[in-house]
Amino acid sequence: MNKERLLKKANQLCNNTLMETLGIQFTDIGSDFLTAEMEVNSKVHQPEGLLHGGASLALAETVGSAASILLNPRKQTKSRGIQMSANHIKSISSGKIIATAKAIHTGKSTQVWFIPIMDENNHLISICQLTTMFLS
């Protein structure tokens, strides 16, 4: 399957889900990474008008979980996030954020994903790490 077709299919799977509600879109994929973007607007703000940390985590878990399936050489089709951590580095109130998942560890049953979240000017917003587990 080619890159554009794979991204289109991944985005279609997000219809009627939290990803659609938050406006998360998969935008790029390679042999060892998956990228997704999300607009920062009032839908993802906390009361002070800044990006909500939970929205950042939703973006990171979305791209990491999807990467665990799409970039999986063993072709397991069921994966679940089992641990997520983040450090929020910089606040943002508007624009776009971009999250790219890259595997740190790919074992038989678990994977660990490093997911930096950047703004459009390549400033670091959050550093996230996701552990996923394959289900049989």
Side-chain angles (χ1 to χ4, degrees), residues 114-128:
F114 175 66
I115 310 163
I117 298 176
M118 313 297 281
D119 69 11
E120 294 171 288
N121 297 311
N122 211 33
H123 295 123
L124 183 63
I125 302 302
S126 297
I127 299 170
C128 305

Side-chain angles (χ1 to χ4, degrees), residues 15-136:
N15 291 339
N16 300 311
T17 67
L18 176 67
M19 287 71 77
E20 182 178 52
T21 300
L22 297 179
I24 295 171
Q25 288 285 309
F26 297 108
T27 57
D28 199 9
I29 189 169
S31 62
D32 67 343
F33 74 92
L34 179 63
T35 299
E37 298 179 352
M38 181 176 70
E39 287 291 328
V40 178
N41 54 38
S42 61
K43 291 190 327 188
V44 297
H45 281 169
Q46 42 94 315
E48 292 180 11
L50 300 171
L51 174 64
H52 192 291
S56 297
L57 286 167
L59 173 62
E61 184 155 3
T62 296
V63 73
S65 293
S68 75
I69 296 295
L70 297 174
L71 303 177
N72 169 15
R74 292 186 233 6
K75 305 299 179 208
Q76 285 104 324
T77 59
K78 292 185 181 180
S79 174
R80 299 293 184 269
I82 59 172
Q83 194 278 331
M84 181 84 198
S85 65
N87 291 97
H88 303 298
I89 309 299
K90 185 176 190 266
S91 298
I92 185 172
S93 59
S94 64
K96 187 181 292 187
I97 54 174
I98 301 103
T100 300
K102 285 191 150 202
I104 299 171
H105 165 76
T106 54
K108 287 182 180 181
S109 60
T110 62
Q111 297 178 327
V112 179
W113 296 89
F114 175 66
I115 310 163
I117 298 176
M118 313 297 281
D119 69 11
E120 294 171 288
N121 297 311
N122 211 33
H123 295 123
L124 183 63
I125 302 302
S126 297
I127 299 170
C128 305
Q129 183 174 298
L130 171 68
T131 304
T132 60
M133 179 178 74
F134 289 118
L135 303 175
S136 13

